[in-house]
């Protein structure tokens, strides 16, 4: 299908910090957890707001990973 997007954002490749992190459904620590990510995992940041990042797990060019929120402090 087709998905409308109002603008395109270039992903910013980052790495999950050594302690790992939980990927959340929303920018809230009480929200559901989509996945537990190990330290060193690739994460493509698409937006940063209020101490949280929104993005996609994996390398944008060759993976179709989960999309969700991480605390900004979870990035190396």
């Amino acid at each position: 299908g087709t998905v409308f997007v109002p603008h395109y954002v270039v992903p910013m490749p980052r790495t999950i910090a050594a302690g790992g992190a939980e990927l959340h459904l929303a920018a809230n620590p009480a929200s559901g957890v989509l996945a537990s990510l190990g330290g060193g995992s690739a994460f493509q940041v698409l937006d940063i707001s209020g101490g949280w990042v929104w993005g996609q797990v994996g390398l944008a060019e060759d993976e179709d990973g989960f999309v969700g929120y991480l605390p900004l402090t979870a990035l190396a």
Side-chain angles (χ1 to χ4, degrees):
T2 302
V3 177
F4 171 77
V5 292
H7 64 279
Y8 177 77
V9 177
V10 176
M12 296 177 283
R14 296 293 184 267
T15 303
I16 303 298
E22 291 183 328
L23 184 69
H24 289 267
L25 290 167
N28 181 329
S31 71
V33 175
L34 288 167
S36 292
L37 308 176
S41 298
F43 190 78
Q44 302 294 321
V45 174
L46 300 171
D47 189 36
I48 301 172
S49 179
W52 287 82
V53 296
W54 176 69
Q56 180 181 20
V57 177
L59 301 172
E61 56 275 353
D62 65 1
E63 285 185 56
D64 191 16
F66 286 114
V67 174
Y69 294 85
L70 293 171
L72 183 57
T73 57
L75 299 178

